């Protein structure tokens, strides 16, 4: 085979150490190398069960920083881990929700509202993926397997609308993060939660743009699509603002490239302009996922 | 000094000639890998059958280097460079391996390492990982670049060229 040569006997205990270090008590970003190891683990083993088990034995409720860091870690593993991670996460929603029990009110260091909003967002994200299994955790454009929903306008309308709801949730969460920066601190831990939000919002944006374009082409019904168009334009302006604010955070710009959107939303009725192009149709269709 | 240590390690750990070649090409030295080193390694990836295990040894060693810690960012960076070279000049098996294990490369797009002087040494790894990821996701481009070597040589050249 061409898979990696992994020492399976060691990887389980290594995973436990990586989870522990990614979610430690220090008020910093979860260290990328430890988060990466968790992600790589799910690909090597095509399973995330040990990741969830490893998370559950950590004392993440004992400290609000630890709780917040574990939510960031979970979000990153959902985004970049093996696709089975999102499926297996569905049965861990209850546990994720229980993470709000660790902090009362604002919490000593102000993470209370952020933790509750993060849990609310992750639950919405998992709900979305449960109904739309064709999307991966990062809504990655180049990996999208089909635009099949645009062939069925009703289904396409619903998918776009659900994507927009998720985009709105990212927007309210990022606003909350910005409003909880503490003066005089470097805010690294809070800022690091913006990394997956920037990536996810851009993936969703690119999808919505190309799906809406495809819908306009296939249905030719500009009138029926106008509510979605209006909503799209509002979201475009909010995203421009979000990315602009992110571009002023040096810690963030050193880690990821902040997308640059045109000031005005692209014209969805034409193929030109600065919007991302339509993804190519797949050469071979992916096999249908088997129902759980 | 590091070179002496590496030679000692190569002997004590019993590395094969193939493994030694990859280790040298992806070392912590501030130079390299050279075009000659990369070209030799790429040629060896064609040995996959019979008693030869060159291909597997090369990929295993590159895999180890790719997953090295931040302090050894040069290992990671050079392994990406060697892999990029092998994807162009090496056997088809390299392409299959890299596609199957693309998550190893993708997850390096957020690689971080700030050295003692506060310098961001992770940036080159992040850029290389980004380039390699988009190459691997673009089947057509990869096919063309494997056919026409001139088009990518300017990007993936060694320092002795």
């Amino acid at each position: 085979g061409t898979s990696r040569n992994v020492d399976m006997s060691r990887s389980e205990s290594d995973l436990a150490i990586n989870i522990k270090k990614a979610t430690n008590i220090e008020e910093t970003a979860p260290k990328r190398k430890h988060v990466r190891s968790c992600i790589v683990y799910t690909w090597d083993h095509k399973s995330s069960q040990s990741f969830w088990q490893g998370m559950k034995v950590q004392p993440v409720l004992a400290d609000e920083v630890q709780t917040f860091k574990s939510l960031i870690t979970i979000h990153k593993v959902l985004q970049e881990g093996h696709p089975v991670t999102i499926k297996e996460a569905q049965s861990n929603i209850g546990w994720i929700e229980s993470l709000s029990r660790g902090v009362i009110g604002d919490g000593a260091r102000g993470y209370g509202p952020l933790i509750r909003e993060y849990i609310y967002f992750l639950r919405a994200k998992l709900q979305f993926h449960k109904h739309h299994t064709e999307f991966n955790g990062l809504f990655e454009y180049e990996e999208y397997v089909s635009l099949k929903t645009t062939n069925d306008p009703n289904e396409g309308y619903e998918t776009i609308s659900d994507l927009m709801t998720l985009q709105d949730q990212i927007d309210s969460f990022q606003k909350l993060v910005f409003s909880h920066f503490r003066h005089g601190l470097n805010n690294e831990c809070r800022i690091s939660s913006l990394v997956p939000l920037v990536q996810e919002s851009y993936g969703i944006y690119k999808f919505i743009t190309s799906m809406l374009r495809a819908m306009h082409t296939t249905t030719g019904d500009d009138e029926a699509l106008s509510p979605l168009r209006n909503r799209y334009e509002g979201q475009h302006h909010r995203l421009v603002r979000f990315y602009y604010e992110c571009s002023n955070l040096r810690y963030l710009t050193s880690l990821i490239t902040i997308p640059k959107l045109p000031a005005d939303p692209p014209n969805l009725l034409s193929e030109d302009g600065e919007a991302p192009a339509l993804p190519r149709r797949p050469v071979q269709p992916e096999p249908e996922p088997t129902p759980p | 000094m590091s070179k002496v240590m590496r030679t000692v390690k190569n002997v004590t750990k019993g590395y094969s000639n193939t493994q030694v070649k990859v280790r040298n090409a992806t070392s912590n030295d501030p130079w390299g890998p050279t075009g000659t080193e990369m070209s030799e390694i790429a040629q060896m990836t064609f040995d996959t059958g019979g008693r030869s295990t060159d291909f597997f040894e090369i990929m295993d060693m590159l895999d180890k280097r790719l997953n090295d810690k931040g302090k050894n960012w040069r290992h990671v960076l050079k392994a990406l460079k060697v892999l990029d070279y092998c994807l162009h000049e090496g056997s088809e098996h390299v392409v299959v391996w890299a596609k199957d294990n693309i998550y190893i490369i993708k997850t390096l797009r957020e690689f971080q390492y700030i050295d003692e002087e506060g310098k961001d040494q992770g940036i080159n790894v992040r850029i290389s990982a980004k380039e390699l990821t988009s190459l691997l996701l673009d089947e057509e481009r990869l096919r063309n670049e494997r056919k026409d070597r001139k088009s990518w040589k300017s990007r993936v050249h060694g320092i002795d060229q």
Side-chain angles (χ1 to χ4, degrees):
Chain A
T2 51
S3 62
R4 304 175 58 223
N5 195 1
V6 184
D7 182 353
M8 293 291 181
S9 61
R10 253 195 64 193
S11 51
E12 197 86 5
S13 53
D14 286 350
L15 176 70
I17 294 167
N18 284 311
I19 294 173
K20 190 175 169 178
K21 288 187 172 172
T23 61
N24 70 11
I25 203 159
E26 281 170 57
E27 196 173 357
T28 55
K31 274 234 174 74
R32 174 64 188 175
K33 63 172 167 182
H34 302 306
V35 177
R36 177 177 183 266
S37 297
C38 295
I39 294 164
V40 167
Y41 182 95
T42 65
W43 286 97
D44 285 340
H45 297 256
K46 295 179 179 52
S47 165
S48 64
Q49 300 294 6
S50 300
F51 168 72
W52 295 108
Q53 273 151 29
M55 268 289 175
K56 286 175 188 175
V57 297
Q58 295 301 317
V60 288
L61 283 179
D63 180 88
E64 60 189 292
V65 169
Q66 253 183 306
T67 312
F68 194 61
K69 282 172 81 168
S70 63
L71 289 166
I72 297 172
T73 305
I74 290 169
H75 193 192
K76 299 290 281 181
V77 175
L78 288 175
Q79 285 187 331
E80 297 176 69
H82 188 279
V84 77
T85 310
I86 287 177
K87 217 189 230 176
E88 290 170 351
Q90 302 294 344
S91 50
N92 289 293
I93 293 179
W95 176 75
I96 294 173
E97 284 180 334
S98 77
L99 291 176
S100 67
R101 286 204 307 256
V103 58
I104 299 151
D106 277 358
R109 281 181 283 183
Y111 282 93
L114 298 178
I115 288 167
R116 284 187 290 273
E117 187 71 14
Y118 214 154
I119 292 168
Y120 181 74
F121 167 71
L122 288 179
R123 197 181 49 188
K125 176 178 168 64
L126 287 172
Q127 205 93 48
F128 178 91
H129 286 295
K130 195 177 175 181
H131 292 124
H132 304 279
T133 48
E134 68 273 28
F135 291 92
N136 78 10
L138 264 177
F139 299 87
E140 271 167 318
Y141 196 58
E142 55 272 13
E143 290 201 348
Y144 189 31
V145 288
S146 80
L147 279 171
K148 69 172 163 90
T149 48
T150 59
N151 294 333
D152 176 355
N154 290 322
E155 206 189 325
Y157 198 100
E158 202 186 292
T159 304
I160 295 172
S161 168
D162 287 352
L163 277 168
M164 286 177 164
T165 302
L166 200 58
Q167 188 78 303
D168 284 341
Q169 274 156 344
I170 292 177
D171 192 59
S172 38
F173 184 26
Q174 64 86 5
K175 284 200 180 99
L176 192 75
V177 174
F178 272 99
S179 71
H180 278 74
F181 284 172
R182 292 220 161 164
H183 195 69
L185 292 175
N186 71 5
N187 290 308
E188 182 188 303
C189 184
R190 291 173 179 85
I191 293 173
S192 67
S193 70
L194 295 172
V195 173
L197 294 177
V198 168
Q199 292 163 328
E200 193 153 329
S201 65
Y202 190 53
I204 293 174
Y205 172 79
K206 286 200 287 184
F207 257 118
I208 294 179
T209 305
S210 54
M211 284 181 87
L212 261 181
R213 272 196 166 151
M215 287 280 285
H216 279 91
T217 314
T218 36
T219 65
D221 193 347
D222 298 353
E223 191 59 37
L225 293 171
S226 79
L228 287 185
R229 244 182 359 258
N230 291 338
R231 206 172 162 194
Y232 173 81
E233 281 165 17
Q235 288 196 336
H236 177 93
H237 291 298
R238 283 193 290 278
L239 265 190
V240 170
R241 186 158 183 85
F242 172 33
Y243 295 157
Y244 170 75
E245 277 164 1
C246 286
S247 68
N248 292 321
L249 299 171
R250 253 199 63 202
Y251 174 72
L252 196 60
T253 55
S254 73
L255 291 184
I256 52 167
T257 314
I258 310 293
K260 258 197 132 63
L261 300 185
D264 292 316
N267 181 6
L268 297 168
L269 307 175
S270 83
E271 274 298 321
D272 45 58
E274 296 205 23
L278 278 169
R280 262 172 301 182
R281 292 225 173 223
V283 187
Q284 279 178 325
E286 285 269 301
E288 280 295 309
T290 45
Chain B
M1 183 62 196
S2 69
K3 202 172 174 202
V4 175
M5 282 307 290
R6 198 163 62 239
T7 312
V8 171
K9 245 181 154 178
N10 284 341
V11 174
T12 55
K13 294 219 170 174
Y15 287 120
S16 71
N17 283 340
T18 309
Q19 287 171 309
V20 169
K21 270 204 169 74
V22 180
R23 280 169 55 79
N24 286 344
T26 57
S27 70
N28 263 329
D29 297 331
W31 59 85
T34 66
T36 317
E37 283 174 321
M38 289 194 286
S39 159
E40 266 183 22
I41 293 167
Q43 279 315 304
M44 291 194 299
T45 62
F46 286 93
D47 297 323
T48 50
R51 277 156 54 198
S52 178
T53 52
D54 282 354
F55 169 77
F56 300 101
E57 287 182 18
I58 290 167
M59 297 329 283
D60 271 2
M61 193 54 75
L62 285 180
D63 187 38
K64 275 205 189 76
R65 294 300 213 198
L66 287 171
N67 291 296
D68 219 327
K69 53 186 165 206
K71 211 181 87 185
N72 289 329
W73 58 272
R74 278 197 181 88
H75 288 178
V76 185
L77 183 61
K78 290 182 185 182
L80 285 169
K81 211 169 171 182
V82 174
L83 181 59
D84 197 351
Y85 195 101
C86 291
L87 277 170
H88 288 89
E89 296 255 297
S91 81
E92 190 64 33
H93 292 286
V94 180
V95 178
V96 177
W97 187 94
K99 282 182 184 266
D100 280 356
N101 301 296
I102 190 169
Y103 56 92
I104 295 294
I105 300 146
K106 274 179 116 172
T107 45
L108 289 174
R109 292 179 300 182
E110 284 178 51
F111 183 90
Q112 285 169 44
Y113 185 68
I114 312 274
D115 70 13
E116 300 79 21
E117 283 145 43
K119 189 162 187 268
D120 178 7
Q121 299 287 13
I123 186 161
N124 292 317
V125 172
R126 295 198 293 274
I127 292 171
S128 297
K130 252 181 236 167
E131 282 178 3
L132 210 51
T133 301
S134 61
L135 175 69
L136 284 168
L137 292 174
D138 192 342
E139 183 70 27
E140 207 181 315
R141 192 182 131 209
L142 183 57
R143 289 291 142 222
N144 287 336
E145 291 188 11
R146 274 176 73 80
K147 252 187 267 163
D148 177 17
R149 272 109 199 241
K150 265 177 253 131
S151 65
W152 63 275
K153 274 272 165 101
S154 57
R155 183 161 56 88
V156 202
H157 63 79
I159 50 123
D160 67 347
Q161 286 174 328

